[in-house]
């Protein structure tokens, strides 16, 4: 999710960006790359030059993709708004906030992953969300605004009523997934619960004897939740419609490749990201329930949109997921 600083910069970024420059058709397309197995489709698209391949098929030869590494969502959102990158891939929350704050000038292209996030606890007392008490600590990547924090808000609304959406917020502490994993392995650490993401949730369940699942993001949302999706400015999309179509086609091919050549896809992921985890261990991670969810249609995003609108984080109430996704995706069965 974007920070207050990022949000305040949105209007200025669009106000000062030269409209003509943003609307020019391009042959070199810059795309963000993040580490993590959730982003494997982007690594396959990069390594196999699928954007270039599909652009040429659509009659746009000579397109090259320039992949840029970002360690967090906020930095790549800033880069998109400043014109430093054309297309980014990040979570549902940032998409909704960017769409809202820019008055529809940023929209999704297609989704790329929807793996489950697991709330893991090593506290035997905590078996369900109703067991949390004042003083318990839940590690999330960013308090209040990360996907995990928003999932806890949705769960609180369901359990205790919409007016109590922030019931779990005081229990959350900010820890990156690697640090939360370390805390969970330390029997004396005050953090005994972690709303994790792959692959850390698998490692915790495997390596910590007391670790058990308290909640699953799919159960809270009622469906899988898109964890990654491509997004861009509407100006770039309007100036480059065939590149946008090529990106959709590339995402479809990457999905099929991961499903049918999983071992090769894992090796591509390891090469592009530099992840030293063994191929065998990563394949074991992908065997866990829901971990091969690479559909390109958005899933569960309207639940996020409705919640963020209700608490005032997003001012515009979306009537449909198609409001914040480009027409290239509108034939898909999104939610």
């Amino acid at each position: 999710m974007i920070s207050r600083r990022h949000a305040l910069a949105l209007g200025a970024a669009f106000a000062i960006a030269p409209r003509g420059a943003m609307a020019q058709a391009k042959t070199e397309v810059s795309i963000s790359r993040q580490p993590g197995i959730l982003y494997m489709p982007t690594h396959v698209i990069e390594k196999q030059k699928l954007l270039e391949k599909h652009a040429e098929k659509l009659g746009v030869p000579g397109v090259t993709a320039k992949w840029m590494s970002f360690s967090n969502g906020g930095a790549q959102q800033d880069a998109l708004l400043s014109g430093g990158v054309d297309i980014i891939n990040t979570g549902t929350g940032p998409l909704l906030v960017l769409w809202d704050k820019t008055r529809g000038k940023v929209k999704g292209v297609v989704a790329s992953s929807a793996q489950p996030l697991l709330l893991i606890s090593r506290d035997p007392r905590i078996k369900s969300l109703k067991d949390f008490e004042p003083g318990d600590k839940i590690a999330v990547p960013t308090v209040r605004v990360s996907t995990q924090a928003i999932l806890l808000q949705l769960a609180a609304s369901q359990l205790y009523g919409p007016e109590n959406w922030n019931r779990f917020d005081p229990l959350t502490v900010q820890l990156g997934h690697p640090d939360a994993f370390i805390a969970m392995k330390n029997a004396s650490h005050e953090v005994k619960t972690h709303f994790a993401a792959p692959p850390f949730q698998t490692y915790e369940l495997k390596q910590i004897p007391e670790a058990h699942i308290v909640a699953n993001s799919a159960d809270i949302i009622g469906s899988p939740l898109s964890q990654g999706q491509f997004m861009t400015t509407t100006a770039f999309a309007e100036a480059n419609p065939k590149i946008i179509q090529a990106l959709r086609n590339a995402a479809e091919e990457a999905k099929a490749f991961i499903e049918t050549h999983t071992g090769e896809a894992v090796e591509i992921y390891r090469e592009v990201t530099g992840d030293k985890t063994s191929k065998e261990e990563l394949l074991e991670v992908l065997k866990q329930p829901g971990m091969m969810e690479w559909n390109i249609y958005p899933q569960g995003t309207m639940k996020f949109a409705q919640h963020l609108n209700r608490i005032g984080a997003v001012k515009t109430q979306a009537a449909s997921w198609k409001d914040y996704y480009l027409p290239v995706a509108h034939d898909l069965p999104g939610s």
Side-chain angles (χ1 to χ4, degrees):
M1 194 69 135
I2 64 175
S3 67
R4 175 176 171 79
R5 176 176 64 82
H6 296 133
L8 291 173
L10 301 182
F14 273 88
I16 64 175
R19 185 173 298 272
M22 290 183 70
Q24 289 177 351
K26 301 188 72 171
T27 54
E28 182 181 86
V29 181
S30 53
I31 311 177
S32 72
R33 176 211 297 134
Q34 289 196 76
I37 204 164
L38 294 175
Y39 300 99
M40 188 185 293
T42 68
H43 309 137
V44 171
I45 292 171
E46 175 181 2
K47 180 66 177 178
Q48 297 189 336
K49 297 187 180 298
L50 298 184
L51 182 68
E52 294 90 331
K53 168 187 169 181
H54 286 285
E56 186 167 5
K57 281 186 174 182
L58 292 169
V60 188
V63 169
T64 58
K66 177 183 178 184
W67 292 86
M68 305 173 67
S69 293
F70 291 88
S71 59
N72 63 74
Q76 64 177 336
Q77 292 155 36
D78 285 345
L80 177 66
L81 296 175
S82 67
V85 65
D86 299 311
I87 299 166
I88 66 174
N89 188 297
T90 190
T92 295
L95 168 61
L96 291 166
V97 174
L98 287 171
W99 166 75
D100 178 57
K101 297 295 184 182
T102 63
R103 299 182 180 180
K105 293 180 180 178
V106 170
K107 291 189 177 184
V109 182
V110 289
S112 57
S113 63
Q115 283 74 13
L117 305 178
L118 301 181
L119 182 61
I120 307 292
S121 183
R122 58 178 171 84
D123 188 336
R125 175 179 58 82
I126 299 174
K127 294 181 171 60
S128 74
L129 287 161
K130 292 182 178 180
D131 295 326
F132 285 107
E133 299 175 352
D136 290 329
K137 305 293 184 184
I138 306 171
V140 297
T142 310
V143 297
R144 288 183 61 86
V145 296
S146 62
T147 296
Q148 286 85 347
I150 295 170
L151 284 165
L152 286 172
Q153 293 167 5
L154 284 165
S157 296
Q158 294 164 9
L159 288 171
Y160 304 108
E163 69 279 8
N164 293 307
W165 61 270
N166 60 352
R167 182 184 177 110
F168 294 129
D169 282 359
L171 309 185
T172 59
V173 295
Q174 186 162 312
L175 281 177
H177 292 304
D179 291 334
F181 178 40
I182 293 170
M184 288 285 284
K185 291 196 294 183
N186 182 351
S188 62
H189 200 285
E190 65 175 356
V191 171
K192 300 179 181 180
T193 304
H194 174 207
F195 212 145
F200 296 99
Q201 55 200 33
T202 303
Y203 299 160
E204 288 173 7
L205 290 170
K206 184 176 181 180
Q207 298 180 28
I208 303 170
E210 305 87 354
H212 57 278
I213 299 171
V214 176
N216 183 316
S217 60
D219 294 335
I220 294 172
I221 293 291
S223 72
L225 172 66
S226 292
Q227 303 295 345
Q229 49 251 296
F230 293 100
M231 59 195 78
T232 189
T233 64
T234 53
F236 177 85
E238 289 164 3
N240 301 276
K242 290 189 176 180
I243 288 177
I244 294 300
Q245 181 65 53
L247 180 59
R248 170 180 166 156
N249 297 349
E252 288 180 315
E253 183 170 342
K255 171 186 180 293
F257 181 81
I258 294 171
E259 291 173 342
T260 57
H261 299 79
T262 309
E264 293 177 52
V266 165
E267 290 290 16
I268 288 172
Y269 159 75
R270 294 177 73 244
E271 177 184 346
V272 172
T273 66
D275 191 332
K276 302 303 181 185
T277 308
S278 71
K279 175 182 177 181
E280 293 69 27
E281 192 168 3
L282 290 168
L283 285 171
E284 194 61 34
V285 168
L286 292 178
K287 290 178 182 177
Q288 303 308 307
M291 283 301 298
M292 288 293 285
E293 180 58 77
W294 310 106
N295 285 314
I296 70 166
Y297 53 86
Q299 300 182 74
T301 64
M302 276 297 291
K303 293 282 183 69
F304 259 48
Q306 291 160 357
H307 169 74
L308 293 174
N309 176 252
R310 185 169 62 247
I311 69 173
V314 167
K315 305 300 182 186
T316 308
Q317 184 170 348
S320 161
W321 65 270
K322 295 178 182 179
D323 290 348
Y324 45 84
Y325 261 82
L326 291 167
V328 72
H330 287 185
D331 65 311
L332 297 170
S335 63

